[in-house]
Amino acid sequence: MIVPHGDPLYYRERPRIAVPATDVIDLDGYFGLHPRLAALKPLWDSKSLAVIHAIGSPDASRSHFDAQDYMESGTPGVKATPDGWLNRYCQHDRQHADTPFRAVAFGPQLPRILAGSAPSLAIDDLQAFGLRAPQAAARDRLTRAFEELYAGSATGLLSSSSQEAFQAVRMLQQVDPAQYQPANGAAYPRGRFGKAMLEIAQLIRADLGVQVAFADVTGWDTHVNQGASEGQLATRLGEFAQALAAFAQDLGEKLRDVVVLTMSEFGRTVRENGNSGTDHGHATAMLVLGGPVDGGKVLGKWPGLDPAQRYEGRDVAVTTDFRDLFAEILARHLGAKELSAVFPGFIPDPTRFPGAIRG
């Protein structure tokens, strides 16, 4: 994704799947974007996109399930944490708790990161919501259908609070989601992720009080036939970049107050495997984009690809704990004060913040 094309070791370790230097979109002479991420280059040029490399969890797990759980709970190595770090932020910062759309996820169920005692919503299909929801005039039908709604089967909306769900229904009826048209010529790619980013943009533009939103995109476990400039991974990256670029274009001036963080539970091995793919690794790269971002930079301490510097001799080492980046976004963008309550057992320190958000 963020290719260290300036290091010959990259090409030595990936003779079949390295992105050729002639195809890389250069960023700073050493790192560059995969060519299928070309849609993000204008955001880099406008300093609205930053890259944090060699970032990840201090926990050594190579299990997708455990690593993603730790990333979303914000407590690496601790399986007993009952809630997610974004939900804990909402619990401790009550200044924005006046709308059911404060914390929204797009999918059939509430993700780990938003699980907890603070109200949150999961919406499976916002575009179809207005077509399936009972009409505003039929208040008695709405009331009778409510138990079905609360279970998520009637409208595709699932809430941690029945009161929140009821209020969300009434608000969405006024917005009429099925009639939404992206602004500024934005064209979202087909697929689940593009659809989710379109719907997040719609809620933001409708001024429904969205503060945090979550979308999931799968298909990154490229053990076999990963490809280089073209192939399996390239196809996923193309959809990923086009969705993010369309989101930024759709929001227009509203992007000034929006930060998008892309997260992955771990990276991939430096060396390609025998099946022209890569196996589960350790450190990864994360992207931060938006108006408050201090962009046009690859941030973090790059440990290099030398085998002596690798984690367990095989992976890019973690030099930035992902909680420091998460905490920086909460503190500098959302104004969070009680960071130690959001990340129990970890003390976020502004001197360790990667510098992704202007502050």
Side-chain angles (χ1 to χ4, degrees):
M1 185 171 75
I2 309 298
V3 183
H5 66 92
D7 191 335
L9 281 172
Y10 168 70
Y11 293 97
R12 189 188 78 186
E13 296 288 61
R14 295 188 174 184
R16 293 171 293 180
I17 66 170
V19 179
T22 53
D23 291 350
V24 173
I25 301 170
D26 182 58
L27 296 178
D28 62 4
Y30 184 89
F31 291 107
L33 294 174
H34 187 285
R36 289 294 187 92
L37 296 180
L40 299 180
K41 184 58 161 51
L43 291 165
W44 171 274
D45 292 339
S46 67
K47 302 192 185 308
S48 299
L49 171 68
V51 175
I52 300 86
H53 228 321
I55 186 170
S57 170
D59 186 81
S61 175
R62 298 182 190 275
S63 158
H64 279 297
F65 179 83
D66 287 346
Q68 179 146 349
D69 192 59
Y70 296 151
M71 181 179 67
E72 294 192 34
S73 69
T75 56
V78 180
K79 293 188 177 183
T81 307
D83 46 17
W85 64 266
L86 271 181
N87 191 277
R88 288 196 298 277
Y89 161 71
C90 292
Q91 294 171 35
H92 292 282
D93 184 316
R94 307 304 296 173
Q95 295 181 25
H96 304 87
D98 55 354
T99 167
F101 291 99
R102 182 189 185 193
V104 183
F106 286 83
Q109 60 189 19
L110 205 61
R112 184 80 168 82
I113 198 169
L114 284 176
S117 61
S120 51
L121 295 177
I123 301 176
D124 193 29
D125 188 347
L126 186 66
Q127 293 294 302
F129 183 91
L131 301 177
R132 292 201 301 258
Q135 295 302 305
R139 186 176 180 87
D140 57 331
R141 282 174 50 221
L142 179 63
T143 303
R144 288 198 304 269
F146 196 77
E147 286 303 318
E148 186 182 6
L149 161 70
Y150 187 49
S153 59
T155 62
L157 184 148
L158 181 66
S159 174
S160 56
S161 158
S162 58
Q163 181 180 356
E164 296 286 319
F166 190 90
Q167 186 180 354
V169 171
R170 310 300 291 179
M171 293 174 71
L172 280 178
Q173 286 170 344
Q174 304 302 315
V175 174
D176 195 7
Q179 302 304 311
Y180 182 71
Q181 292 295 323
N184 307 311
Y188 290 88
R190 295 190 177 188
R192 179 180 166 187
F193 184 58
K195 176 172 168 290
M197 295 308 294
L198 179 151
E199 293 181 345
I200 292 172
Q202 178 177 2
L203 290 183
I204 292 172
R205 287 181 55 201
D207 293 321
L208 293 178
V210 173
Q211 191 184 22
V212 294
F214 178 92
D216 187 28
V217 56
T218 60
W220 307 105
D221 204 14
T222 50
H223 289 274
V224 178
N225 297 324
Q226 183 171 303
S229 297
E230 303 290 336
Q232 179 188 173
L233 178 62
T235 299
R236 303 301 293 132
L237 288 174
E239 178 187 355
F240 176 71
Q242 290 163 26
L244 293 175
F247 175 80
Q249 188 172 349
D250 193 1
L251 287 188
E253 288 297 308
K254 284 188 177 292
L255 190 66
R256 289 184 176 184
D257 194 37
V258 173
V259 169
V260 180
L261 166 67
T262 75
M263 315 185 298
S264 184
E265 69 270 28
F266 46 56
R268 312 296 294 184
T269 50
V270 173
R271 180 176 297 173
E272 67 181 55
N273 62 27
N275 295 313
S276 298
T278 50
D279 298 321
H280 298 174
H282 196 41
T284 185
M286 296 187 182
L287 308 180
V288 184
L289 66 93
V293 173
D294 188 11
K297 303 173 183 177
V298 178
L299 303 168
K301 181 183 177 182
W302 177 246
L305 299 179
D306 188 285
Q309 303 301 319
R310 294 180 202 169
Y311 177 74
E312 295 184 345
R314 53 178 275 175
D315 304 317
V316 174
V318 170
T319 59
T320 299
D321 189 309
F322 54 24
R323 291 170 292 186
D324 280 316
L325 174 60
F326 301 164
E328 178 183 10
I329 294 173
L330 293 182
R332 291 185 175 172
H333 179 52
L334 296 178
K337 305 295 184 185
E338 300 181 61
L339 293 175
S340 60
V342 178
F343 302 104
F346 180 76
I347 307 299
D349 183 347
T351 65
R352 295 197 309 265
F353 286 172
I357 308 298
R358 292 194 299 271

